[in-house]
Amino acid sequence: ISWLNKISILTSLLNFLSALIAIWFKLSINVYFILYTLSTIAVVPFCIYRLKVYHIEIKELLTPRWNLQAFKVIFAYSISIFAIGIFQFSADSLRPLLLSKYASNGIEVLTDYRIIQTISALVLAIGGVFTQIILPSTTKLYVENDFEKINVLIYDGTKYISIFLSFIVFLLIGNSSLLLKVYMGPDYQILSLWLSIWLLTVLLTL
């Protein structure tokens, strides 16, 4: 998990660096796309090198094999994750379509919607980071059949995460008007009420 997080951070930094280079040198969108692709796949050699921890030859480790029993388990699990992902993606992506169809001023409504959604996504991203930390630890304890520690981890983890996220949410709500002014300009400060409502809704769903 630690290695995957480091690789993820490195990839994000390379992507950010490619964006800065594109802005600084005023590169075209095609060149930026090439830089972004290269920065994304640049970590692949590190991942291959990491495979040495398995004490198996890389050629043998990367050779495709077929295991029907393992495939059935992974396939059933993947289908479930895929179904959840489809519904989540649909719920997130269809809302702008409905807004643009039924709103009288579709472009303005979609702009306001995306502004509020982007700021609220910050809370979801922070919650996702904590989930990545808790889930592997819970899985490890489950394999060890240590259900007492699982209960303690889940109770304490969710309690402190909820407190921290509540602090973040109410901090954003208290400064929503100023945040919108800095982020988009004074014309968008009227969205502070809707942003506050959305942030409270996000907090309740976490």
Side-chain angles (χ1 to χ4, degrees):
I1 298 300
S2 175
W3 170 258
L4 292 177
N5 288 334
K6 291 177 181 177
I7 289 295
S8 178
I9 292 173
L10 178 60
T11 303
S12 299
L13 289 176
L14 291 175
N15 291 339
F16 180 69
L17 181 62
S18 63
L20 288 180
I21 293 174
I23 295 173
W24 183 264
F25 293 101
K26 299 180 180 180
L27 302 177
S28 65
I29 188 64
N30 295 330
V31 178
Y32 168 68
F33 177 76
I34 294 173
L35 286 176
Y36 179 84
T37 304
L38 292 176
S39 64
T40 302
I41 64 176
V43 298
V44 173
F46 297 101
C47 296
I48 296 176
Y49 177 78
R50 184 66 177 178
L51 294 176
K52 290 185 176 181
V53 299
Y54 293 103
H55 303 292
I56 303 174
E57 292 185 5
I58 294 180
K59 181 179 179 180
E60 182 181 355
L61 189 62
L62 297 179
T63 301
R65 288 182 175 81
W66 176 258
N67 188 322
L68 181 60
Q69 185 176 0
F71 173 79
K72 289 180 179 179
V73 176
I74 296 174
F75 181 75
Y77 179 78
S78 301
I79 286 296
S80 302
I81 297 297
F82 178 75
I84 294 173
I86 286 294
F87 286 113
Q88 289 179 338
F89 178 79
S90 299
D92 183 61
S93 300
L94 291 179
R95 280 180 289 182
L97 296 178
L98 295 175
L99 286 173
S100 62
K101 180 176 178 59
Y102 295 104
S104 57
N105 49 347
I107 300 298
E108 294 181 8
V109 171
L110 281 179
T111 302
D112 297 343
Y113 169 80
R114 285 303 183 187
I115 292 171
I116 297 175
Q117 184 188 42
T118 301
I119 298 175
S120 302
L122 174 64
V123 180
L124 293 173
I126 296 174
V129 170
F130 287 114
T131 302
Q132 290 180 354
I133 297 173
I134 289 180
L135 286 180
S137 301
T138 306
T139 304
K140 180 180 178 182
L141 293 174
Y142 179 81
V143 172
E144 297 174 353
N145 292 323
D146 196 342
F147 294 101
E148 183 177 352
K149 287 186 177 179
I150 290 177
N151 293 330
V152 172
L153 176 64
I154 293 176
Y155 176 77
D156 290 341
T158 53
K159 179 177 68 174
Y160 291 117
I161 290 173
S162 299
I163 293 173
F164 179 75
L165 290 178
S166 298
F167 173 77
I168 295 295
V169 166
F170 286 108
L171 182 65
L172 291 174
I173 290 175
N175 298 276
S176 59
S177 182
L178 177 61
L179 183 62
L180 288 167
K181 181 180 179 181
V182 174
Y183 181 47
M184 292 300 298
D187 294 338
Y188 290 89
Q189 288 181 280
I190 57 174
L191 297 176
S192 59
L193 175 60
W194 294 107
L195 176 60
S196 300
I197 295 174
W198 194 316
L199 288 171
L200 287 174
T201 304
V202 169
L203 179 62
L204 293 174
T205 56
L206 290 175

